[in-house]
Amino acid sequence: MASLEAPARALLDVATQDETADKFSFSQKEAEILELYDHVFEQQLEEALLSHQLPETTDADDVDAKLVEAERELLEVRARLSVRRKVIESVLMTEPSIQAVHSLPSSPLEKALLPLINRRDVLSLAYENIMTSHTACIRELSSAEVANIQSIQKNQELVQTLLELTRNEKSLDDNISDPQLKEELDSLRTENKQKKAHWTRIKRIVSASIAASGVDWASDEKLENLVLDDDALDDV
């Protein structure tokens, strides 16, 4: 927690110091009701899946396509049931939450619910702060990666210049009679090619890291050029 930003750390401290929320627990009857509710949902899901008409096929060549279609339809069935369950739960939670927050808690349930609602709200704010810090860290990392790639590009340009000079001097190879000197020249050329391949691999790895990091690289011109421009460093 020491690495968190001060606002997020303060919010987490407030949430974790609320001892009244920690004392809440369901009674045995309430726990059984919730368990039965989950069990009913699972049964409804199984019933919906079993009653769903899967596409029939007699063409052996079309089996894979039909399986993909069946999987998609089953996922849609599960999604519909999940949405319906969330709507029902939201409706059931609305009235007790309103009574606990906006009215003077009178019942034991409302008195127990209010600290939990407060903790939920505080944790939501802490989560938003943490996500903001996370996004900022990703952007800083992306900027550092861009700077690193720019340095690699500069090195590539220098290597390109060196290779151009080497190509221009290839015609002089026949005039070199010293075998040792020829061997050293070939060794330098091989080393340059290896460095080129190494820098190209680094560029592609960093580009893939940016694309997979979750940052909105398409809205940043430098990041977009870095991710999409794969030929700039490969033609060296």
Side-chain angles (χ1 to χ4, degrees):
M1 190 179 297
S3 60
L4 295 177
E5 295 291 337
R9 185 166 59 250
L11 289 171
L12 287 177
D13 290 340
V14 171
T16 54
Q17 289 173 1
D18 188 359
E19 297 180 356
T20 57
D22 293 330
K23 296 179 181 178
F24 177 81
S25 62
F26 291 111
S27 65
Q28 182 178 357
K29 184 177 181 180
E30 291 170 339
E32 291 176 354
I33 292 174
L34 292 175
E35 184 178 354
L36 289 174
Y37 177 76
D38 292 335
H39 185 62
V40 168
F41 173 75
E42 293 298 330
Q43 285 188 331
Q44 290 176 342
L45 178 59
E46 292 178 4
E47 181 181 356
L49 294 178
L50 292 174
S51 62
H52 184 70
Q53 295 294 329
L54 296 177
E56 298 181 358
T57 179
T58 57
D59 189 356
D61 297 334
D62 201 29
V63 171
D64 291 339
K66 293 298 183 181
L67 287 175
V68 172
E69 182 181 355
E71 182 179 2
R72 178 184 58 79
E73 292 179 356
L74 292 178
L75 289 175
E76 289 178 354
V77 172
R78 182 179 181 87
R80 286 197 298 269
L81 286 176
S82 298
V83 170
R84 187 179 70 177
R85 180 184 184 181
K86 289 181 179 179
V87 171
I88 294 174
E89 291 176 353
S90 297
V91 172
L92 293 176
M93 290 188 300
T94 299
E95 181 64 22
S97 299
I98 292 176
Q99 292 295 329
V101 174
H102 299 287
S103 302
L104 183 63
S106 56
S107 66
L109 177 60
E110 293 175 355
K111 292 180 180 179
L113 188 60
L114 182 58
L116 296 176
I117 294 176
N118 291 335
R119 171 176 283 191
R120 179 202 63 186
D121 294 341
V122 172
L123 290 176
S124 297
L125 292 174
Y127 173 78
E128 291 180 3
N129 279 271
I130 292 173
M131 288 304 299
T132 300
S133 300
H134 176 68
T135 302
C137 289
I138 290 179
R139 288 194 171 275
E140 290 179 3
L141 176 61
S142 299
S143 299
E145 290 173 342
V146 169
N148 184 41
I149 290 299
Q150 290 174 345
S151 299
I152 293 175
Q153 288 176 333
K154 182 63 176 179
N155 290 336
Q156 289 284 356
E157 293 173 0
L158 295 176
V159 172
Q160 176 69 30
T161 302
L162 179 60
L163 291 177
E164 288 294 336
L165 294 174
T166 303
R167 294 190 190 101
N168 294 334
E169 294 177 356
K170 282 185 178 180
S171 59
L172 301 177
D173 289 355
D174 296 335
N175 298 328
I176 299 177
S177 58
D178 188 346
Q180 183 177 358
L181 186 57
K182 283 187 175 181
E183 183 178 352
E184 291 179 358
L185 182 58
D186 292 338
S187 176
L188 288 174
R189 288 172 178 168
T190 302
E191 183 180 355
N192 285 333
K193 290 181 180 179
Q194 291 175 347
K195 288 183 177 180
K196 168 198 168 183
H198 177 66
W199 284 326
T200 300
R201 285 194 299 270
I202 292 177
K203 186 264 179 185
R204 290 176 177 173
I205 291 173
V206 174
S207 298
S209 300
I210 294 175
S213 65
V215 69
D216 186 13
W217 53 265
S219 62
D220 189 303
E221 183 178 357
K222 291 183 179 179
L223 293 179
E224 182 180 10
N225 292 335
L226 179 60
V227 173
L228 298 181
D229 185 11
D230 191 46
D231 297 330
L233 297 179
D234 299 339
D235 296 334
V236 179

